[in-house]
Amino acid sequence: MAYYLGIDGGGTKTRCVLGDEMTVLATAMSGGSNIVRLGETQTREALHTAIRQVCTTANISPAQISAVCIGAAGADRPEIVAKIRAILAELIAETARPKIEVVGDMAIALEAACGAGPGVIAIAGTGSIAYGRDATGHTARAGGWGFAVSDEGSGHWIGRRAVSAILSAHDQGLETTLSAMVLQAWKLNTLDELVQQANSTPPPDFPRLFPIVLRAADEDDSVARSLLTDAGAKLGSLAAIVVHRLAHNSPAATLTGSMIPVATLPVAMTGSVFRQSPDVRRVFYNTLQTSVPGIDVRQDIVDPIEGALARARAAH
C-alpha cells in the first residue's frame, strides 16, 4: 500500500496528515517549522517530531512513505528548498526514495481551495500573502515579503501594531483596555518595560498578542477593533491586487485583448487571523466587494493541509 504525507509547516505550529489513496489515516502536530524565522535546528526538531508522531499513530515506518508535499515559507528560494528536502530525507528516505515536493504555503492553500483550477487565496496567520492562479496556470502574488517590511494583516502585523497603538494612545493621554491586557500577557509592569521589550533583539513574539487584541475587541476596546478593521482592509487590498493582476495582465487576457471575468477567480481565506476574527473576515469581504464588485468570496475557511495531501497523492 502507498502512503502519502502532507505537511503544513507554519511559523507557530507544524501539522502533518498521513493518508493512503483515499483515506486519512492519522494526523499530528508539533511546534513551528518556518526555517526562515526559526532556523534549521528548530525546523528539524518540529518536522521530525510531527512525522514520527503521525507514523506511530498509523503504525507504519517513515520509510514506507511514498510521497511527501510540504508547504513552507521561503520555498521560492532554492537554498531553502534544498535544506527542507534534506531535513525530510533524513527521516523518510531511510530505505526508499520517496518524492519530496517543497512548495510555498500559498500553493498548498490554493490547492485546498481550488484544486487545479483558477482562484485566489488570502493567507493570514503568523505572516500573510495573497496568491492566485488563472485558468492557464499564470500566477500572481501580493504581500508576503517578510514581517519586517510586509505581512500586512497577519498575526505578527496585528501584534506589532497593537504595541504602537498603545504607545500612541499613551502619547495622547488616553487609556485603553488593550494596554493592561498586553502588559499582563508579556508579564510587564510599565510602558517603559513594554518599549524595551518591543525593541529588543531578536524581536519579541508579536503574533502571540493577536489573541489579546481579539479579547480586547470583544470588550469593545476601540483601539483593538480598529486594529482588526485595518487588518481586514489590508488583506482585502492584497487579494484585490492579485485579482486585478490576473484579470488584466495574465497571458490569457493579453491574448484575447479583454479582461478575464472576475467570476472565474473565486477568493478563499485561510489562517488563524481569518479563522478567529469575524471582524477581519467582514472587512475583508467588504473591501473586496468594493474593489471588485461581484467577486465570489467563499466564506468557509480553507485547511491548507488538505492541499498538501492532495499534491502528495498526485505526485506519486
Side-chain angles (χ1 to χ4, degrees):
M1 181 181 292
Y3 297 102
Y4 306 97
L5 182 66
I7 306 173
D8 181 12
T12 305
K13 60 180 179 290
T14 299
R15 298 169 60 227
C16 279
V17 58
L18 181 75
D20 57 22
E21 293 286 355
M22 299 296 295
T23 309
V24 171
L25 303 174
T27 61
M29 187 167 64
S30 62
S33 59
N34 182 329
I35 196 169
V36 178
R37 296 189 64 184
L38 303 174
E40 287 187 56
T41 300
Q42 190 165 333
T43 296
R44 177 178 288 103
E45 180 180 352
L47 289 175
H48 285 198
T49 297
I51 293 168
R52 287 193 179 99
Q53 286 178 358
V54 80
C55 289
T56 298
T57 302
N59 197 29
I60 71 164
S61 162
Q64 293 176 258
I65 295 170
S66 301
V68 183
C69 175
I70 178 172
D76 54 340
R77 294 161 53 184
E79 69 275 16
I80 296 296
V81 170
K83 289 178 181 178
I84 294 173
R85 183 177 284 116
I87 288 171
L88 294 174
E90 289 169 1
L91 193 62
I92 294 170
E94 294 173 351
T95 59
R97 274 312 202 189
K99 179 172 178 58
I100 298 175
E101 183 184 34
V102 182
V103 297
D105 47 5
M106 67 277 194
I108 63 170
L110 186 60
E111 179 79 23
C114 304
V120 175
I121 187 75
I123 303 175
T126 303
S128 71
I129 191 172
Y131 176 77
R133 178 180 58 224
D134 68 14
T136 69
H138 175 73
T139 62
R141 62 171 283 176
W145 301 114
F147 67 89
V149 294
S150 182
D151 286 1
E152 299 88 342
S154 68
H156 186 282
W157 186 90
I158 292 170
R160 181 170 51 82
R161 288 284 299 268
V163 175
S164 297
I166 289 169
L167 297 174
S168 177
H170 172 73
D171 290 341
Q172 299 172 63
L174 304 175
E175 291 295 328
T176 72
T177 302
L178 185 61
S179 301
M181 287 184 172
V182 168
L183 289 174
Q184 183 180 26
W186 274 358
K187 296 181 172 55
L188 305 174
N189 297 311
T190 66
L191 286 184
D192 285 342
E193 292 179 356
L194 178 63
V195 171
Q196 292 178 30
Q197 179 84 345
N199 286 299
S200 61
T201 303
D205 194 354
F206 285 115
R208 294 203 180 275
L209 294 183
F210 170 58
I212 310 303
V213 174
L214 289 178
R215 279 177 41 212
D218 287 342
E219 296 186 17
D220 207 28
D221 181 86
S222 60
V223 172
R225 294 187 71 87
S226 178
L227 288 167
L228 298 178
T229 297
D230 289 347
K234 291 287 188 183
L235 292 165
S237 295
L238 290 178
I241 288 170
V242 174
V243 170
H244 283 300
R245 286 184 61 192
L246 292 175
H248 292 277
N249 302 326
S250 73
T254 302
L255 184 64
T256 61
S258 61
M259 185 181 79
I260 296 172
V262 296
T264 66
L265 293 169
V267 178
M269 299 171 275
T270 190
S272 56
V273 172
F274 282 123
R275 188 170 58 252
Q276 297 179 36
S277 177
D279 287 338
V280 171
R281 294 197 301 272
R282 173 180 52 79
V283 176
F284 175 80
Y285 177 89
N286 291 338
T287 300
L288 267 173
Q289 291 296 338
T290 299
S291 300
V292 193
I295 191 76
D296 175 18
V297 183
R298 297 176 178 175
Q299 298 301 305
D300 292 337
I301 305 300
V302 169
D303 189 350
I305 198 72
E306 297 175 2
L309 181 59
R311 290 183 70 115
R313 284 169 169 160
H316 183 58

